[in-house]
Amino acid sequence: TVAALVAEKRQDARLRQAIARAALDGLEVRGDPRAYHLWLDLPEGWRAEAFAAAAARKGIALTPGPAYAIGPGHAPAGVRLALASPAPDVLREALETLARLARSEPDQIAVD
């Protein structure tokens, strides 16, 4: 039973990674294709906190890179995306929204 559950979870994670990579195509993403999370490196001009705030205004919660920094001044310019919770169609929609945000200029979304 445990082996079957593990196989099912791994397949689900691969599906969610595929959804994420398709929705974020052209953007820089990193992560194990068997994991329930990935890292989105932000395009030039975006700060992680500003991107997280813009995503929050769209109803999407994510974690900015500084939350993972070891010390001050070493924060990665990216965000961590958790893929496990939403239904696949909701996940796809949210990731497509994030892709549009990432491709926009930070000032363009400040008034949304």
Side-chain angles (χ1 to χ4, degrees):
T1 300
V2 171
L5 288 173
V6 168
E8 185 179 317
K9 288 292 188 186
R10 286 187 178 157
Q11 181 60 29
D12 182 57
R14 281 191 291 272
L15 168 69
R16 291 166 181 279
Q17 282 281 337
I19 290 169
R21 290 165 191 274
L24 300 170
D25 187 44
L27 296 169
E28 206 56 44
V29 296
R30 293 181 278 144
D32 188 315
R34 301 165 296 178
Y36 277 115
H37 63 275
L38 61 76
W39 189 264
L40 172 62
D41 290 318
L42 296 173
E44 189 71 30
W46 274 108
R47 286 182 26 255
E49 295 88 351
F51 190 81
R57 287 191 297 274
K58 300 287 186 183
I60 302 168
L62 50 81
T63 307
Y68 300 98
I70 293 174
H74 298 358
V79 293
R80 183 180 186 268
L81 306 178
L83 309 175
S85 294
D89 57 328
V90 173
L91 176 64
R92 181 178 291 109
E93 184 178 331
L95 291 167
E96 288 170 352
T97 298
L98 291 178
R100 285 190 297 276
L101 281 176
R103 290 183 179 106
S104 69
E105 293 293 322
D107 290 341
Q108 290 176 328
I109 54 80
V111 294
D112 283 353

